Amino acid sequence: MSQEVEETLKRIQSHKGVVGTIVVNNEGIPVKSTLDNTTTVQYAGLMSQLADKARSVVRDLDPSNDMTFLRVRSKKHEIMVAPDKDFILIRPHSVRVCKVTNKKFNIQGKSTSTTTEYLKATEQQQLEATSTQRHAE
């Protein structure tokens, strides 16, 4: 894989809560993974099948459309699936437990009213911190 792909996978893996990254070819065979073999094979097989089915649903609903991203969330994990022409990127992520209340969250002076907005704001904050850190190096 190219150096750019390797650097991107390392950057994704460094995000807080990321369990691993898996790159799967069109046949559902893992070609790159940061997880153990058993877990990699399980995620690769199941998530590539789900991505194929989801892509078929999107195309059946609108033949001119195509799936660009799939997000599956459970109580323990969130799995992000990014299909491409030749590969599928699978990124299992541990779910941050956040008690849902009617209170507003405050991130760097920005007020958010939902847990989703809070999580997006904290993820943006992490990305900005990572970017700033890279520029300092």
Side-chain angles (χ1 to χ4, degrees), residues 3-19:
Q3 183 66 26
E4 183 180 357
V5 171
E6 293 288 341
E7 288 175 11
T8 301
L9 291 175
K10 283 181 187 176
R11 189 179 75 242
I12 291 169
Q13 185 65 34
S14 71
H15 289 190
K16 188 176 180 178
V18 172
V19 175

Side-chain angles (χ1 to χ4, degrees), residues 62-117:
D62 181 357
S64 66
N65 204 355
D66 197 8
M67 183 180 76
T68 58
F69 200 76
L70 176 64
R71 183 183 208 171
V72 178
R73 187 172 180 138
S74 68
K75 291 181 181 179
K76 294 182 181 179
H77 295 98
E78 180 174 62
I79 306 166
M80 311 294 251
V81 180
D84 195 44
K85 180 182 172 194
D86 298 318
F87 299 98
I88 299 172
L89 174 66
I90 302 168
R91 187 203 78 178
H93 189 278
S94 62
V95 174
R96 295 180 226 177
V97 179
C98 230
K99 188 175 181 182
V100 178
T101 65
N102 289 331
K103 291 180 4 180
K104 289 190 177 249
F105 299 103
N106 194 345
I107 301 289
Q108 291 185 336
K110 297 177 185 173
S111 181
T112 60
S113 59
T114 67
T115 304
T116 302
E117 289 174 346

Side-chain angles (χ1 to χ4, degrees), residues 27-87:
E27 297 170 2
I29 299 169
V31 294
K32 178 86 174 160
S33 178
T34 60
L35 299 170
D36 64 85
N37 190 50
T38 304
T39 305
T40 296
V41 170
Q42 184 178 29
Y43 271 101
L46 295 172
M47 295 311 295
S48 60
Q49 288 176 26
L50 182 60
D52 289 344
K53 188 66 171 174
R55 176 176 271 161
S56 293
V57 168
V58 169
R59 287 183 177 163
D60 287 348
L61 293 171
D62 181 357
S64 66
N65 204 355
D66 197 8
M67 183 180 76
T68 58
F69 200 76
L70 176 64
R71 183 183 208 171
V72 178
R73 187 172 180 138
S74 68
K75 291 181 181 179
K76 294 182 181 179
H77 295 98
E78 180 174 62
I79 306 166
M80 311 294 251
V81 180
D84 195 44
K85 180 182 172 194
D86 298 318
F87 299 98

